[in-house]
Amino acid sequence: MILPIYTLGDAVLRQKAETLTGVDKNLDKLIKDMFETMYQADGIGLAAPQVGKSYDLLVIDISVMKEGRDTLPMVFINPEFIDKQGSCSMEEGCLSVPGINDFVDRPEIITVKFRDEKFNERIETFDGMLARVLQHEYDHLQGTLFVDYLSAFRKTLLKNRMRDIQKGTVEVDYLLAEK
Ligand code: NI
């Protein structure tokens, strides 16, 4: 089932998401729906708050990208970064902030402790695109959006676009939650 995506200005995107204590049928269904929603919107990552669920859960599939073509879809529940190294700048975009892309500096290599879709604990280290998407999605679970990192100058330039997103007057080819 395709779920509507919440956008800049919606309160659910500004909350700290709730830690999950296990997986059940409802959560399995939510994970499946999140993948379906993400694929339909041509996204490579999606966090539960973006579909209005304030849970510590995100999904990633970067296999459509050249760099990620050998990777499998991944589910991260209750992710926690336990090590970060380096720094790099990459261009980001977000289904919750449609039409805005900009460069953000973040650590280059990250080690994350999380539960997978079966709620098994895992520790893995990622770099490149996966590290980037994971950090962007992790931010959603903290109530942070990538545009928060932009300079005051960039924000001023993007003011009209951000206001349109907040008002819900933007055209996108995926389903948006009602304002
Ligand atoms: Ni995003």
Side-chain angles (χ1 to χ4, degrees):
M1 189 172 78
I2 305 282
L3 303 171
I5 294 181
Y6 288 70
T7 54
L8 187 68
D10 292 330
V12 69
L13 294 178
R14 292 308 191 178
Q15 290 165 16
K16 169 93 182 76
E18 186 187 324
T19 303
L20 293 168
T21 53
V23 285
D24 58 15
K25 255 192 194 163
N26 291 335
L27 205 74
D28 286 344
K29 171 84 167 85
L30 176 62
I31 290 168
K32 194 170 162 278
D33 290 345
M34 282 173 63
F35 274 114
E36 201 179 329
T37 301
M38 179 178 79
Y39 293 138
Q40 194 274 333
D42 289 328
I44 53 174
L46 191 70
Q50 292 183 275
V51 293
K53 304 285 182 194
S54 194
Y55 299 148
D56 248 340
L57 161 68
L58 62 92
V59 300
I60 294 177
D61 185 350
I62 63 162
S63 61
V64 293
M65 312 200 67
K66 199 176 166 198
E67 183 191 330
R69 62 182 169 218
D70 299 325
T71 63
L72 295 170
M74 292 192 76
V75 176
F76 295 84
I77 295 170
N78 303 339
E80 264 179 78
F81 296 137
I82 55 175
D83 192 40
K84 301 178 180 185
Q85 288 176 49
S87 169
C88 64
S89 180
M90 281 175 84
E91 195 173 21
E92 298 187 18
C94 181
L95 295 174
S96 294
V97 195
I100 295 181
N101 293 278
D102 219 319
F103 284 85
V104 179
D105 287 322
R106 297 187 190 269
E108 195 171 5
I109 304 167
I110 47 153
T111 301
V112 58
K113 183 166 102 171
F114 63 102
R115 303 275 178 165
D116 64 16
E117 65 279 6
K118 296 194 170 76
F119 215 67
N120 293 320
E121 190 172 280
R122 289 169 63 171
I123 294 178
E124 297 208 28
T125 298
F126 299 109
D127 60 9
M129 183 61 67
L130 244 170
R132 174 60 53 153
V133 178
L134 181 54
Q135 290 176 89
H136 174 112
E137 301 310 329
Y138 173 86
D139 269 356
H140 278 298
L141 309 179
Q142 319 308 313
T144 300
L145 298 171
F146 86 99
V147 287
D148 299 346
Y149 298 118
L150 303 186
S151 67
F153 177 66
R154 286 295 294 157
K155 281 183 192 162
T156 303
L157 291 179
L158 295 167
K159 197 173 66 187
N160 289 348
R161 178 72 191 177
M162 298 226 261
R163 196 185 51 215
D164 288 345
I165 298 169
Q166 283 171 357
K167 286 195 304 198
T169 56
V170 287
E171 293 276 325
V172 294
D173 48 13
Y174 48 90
L175 185 61
L176 294 183
E178 283 190 27
K179 288 287 180 183

